[in-house]
Amino acid sequence: MTSETYSRRRILSLLSVGAASTLASCASSGPVRFSPIGFAPQLPAPPMGRSPELDATYGQTVDGGFVIPAVPYWKIPPRFYRQQVANTTGEPAGTVVVDTRERFLYLVEPGAATAMRYGVGIGREGFSWSGEGVIQWRQKWPKWTPPDEMVARQPELVKYSSANGGMPPGLLNPLGARALYIFQNGQDTLYRLHGNPEWNSIGKAVSSGCVRMLNQDVIDLYERVPNKARIIVWQ
């Protein structure tokens, strides 16, 4: 064997080892797929139930100096997502309808052919009033003052009583990012549409509160609802 032949065999051997090493390193990094430009890592499939549109709708947002966390909406039944639907309420444009049994809130859109529908959670106080009223006023990042009856049931809330000035706005405030106050015949019904830090209460009957909405949804409603809008609550 000449020295030249030995050198050629040596070079081929080293090349084959290098190629095997390269393939092994690709394989160890995870599944691969062949593409026109070579091997590339196989990208994981997006989690079931997620979409870029809903990620944007229910993603983290900054509002009023507060960072509102993203909602894991894929853990909520899709029927409770904010969506445009046919207006089945029979009510004219600008009307808000709360269906407490189905856990939906509708805002009838211009033209009255469609409505924006939101999923809601209903608390004990949410079942205490029905009928027709007016959204007399609205507030961003409201203070929460529990009624005296609630303080009597839960003495630990006395620090947030009206005598003590209520609970300041914030992410843990039960009224969330917005509150819409319902009046009837000029009187406060104590019935509220409000934001909610507990996303898992949507679609459910919970222990307290009136009509709960995801913070991202109540912000959207706040911007859409007409001034002094008519509201109807179905029980």
Side-chain angles (χ1 to χ4, degrees):
M1 180 186 299
T2 65
S3 60
E4 182 179 356
T5 301
Y6 176 80
S7 297
R8 287 178 179 175
R9 289 184 177 179
R10 176 68 173 169
I11 290 170
L12 290 173
S13 175
L14 290 172
L15 286 173
S16 65
V17 170
S21 174
T22 300
L23 289 175
S25 65
C26 288
S28 65
S29 63
V32 297
R33 60 180 174 82
F34 187 75
S35 70
I37 59 173
F39 286 94
Q42 179 66 57
L43 297 176
M48 291 293 291
R50 294 192 64 169
S51 74
E53 181 182 2
L54 289 170
D55 281 347
T57 298
Y58 292 116
Q60 177 178 292
T61 186
V62 178
D63 181 87
F66 298 99
V67 179
I68 300 174
V71 173
Y73 61 84
W74 56 93
K75 297 182 180 180
I76 300 172
R79 67 182 180 276
F80 296 125
Y81 299 164
R82 182 197 319 166
Q83 53 195 288
Q84 188 182 59
V85 298
N87 176 23
T88 58
T89 70
E91 299 300 331
T95 306
V96 175
V97 177
V98 179
D99 185 341
T100 60
R101 290 189 179 182
E102 295 296 324
R103 315 288 197 256
F104 290 137
L105 182 150
Y106 299 86
L107 173 61
V108 182
E109 297 183 310
T114 59
M116 189 61 67
R117 190 180 77 187
Y118 307 84
V120 300
I122 305 295
R124 182 187 296 110
E125 287 80 5
F127 291 106
S128 66
W129 185 82
S130 63
E132 185 174 331
V134 174
I135 298 177
Q136 188 69 25
W137 62 292
R138 303 170 293 168
Q139 190 172 354
K140 297 181 178 181
W141 293 103
K143 181 171 63 174
W144 177 59
T145 305
D148 291 341
E149 311 86 71
M150 182 179 289
V151 174
R153 294 195 306 265
Q154 300 173 258
E156 68 275 13
L157 297 179
V158 68
K159 58 185 176 182
Y160 302 128
S161 66
S162 56
N164 289 319
M167 184 179 188
L171 294 175
L172 299 180
N173 185 304
L175 294 183
R178 302 286 189 275
L180 289 75
Y181 300 79
I182 315 306
F183 281 60
Q184 186 180 54
N185 300 322
Q187 300 295 316
D188 187 357
T189 64
L190 302 181
Y191 199 87
R192 313 282 186 250
L193 313 178
H194 61 86
N196 167 39
E198 298 175 354
W199 58 266
N200 56 353
S201 67
I202 299 302
K204 300 176 183 177
V206 289
S207 61
S208 62
C210 293
V211 178
R212 299 180 171 199
M213 304 177 69
L214 297 172
N215 276 321
Q216 286 85 342
D217 280 349
V218 79
I219 290 172
D220 184 82
L221 175 67
Y222 183 96
E223 297 301 325
R224 294 175 186 269
V225 72
N227 190 37
K228 303 295 177 65
R230 175 170 166 257
I231 180 170
I232 300 172
V233 177
W234 298 340
Q235 296 287 10

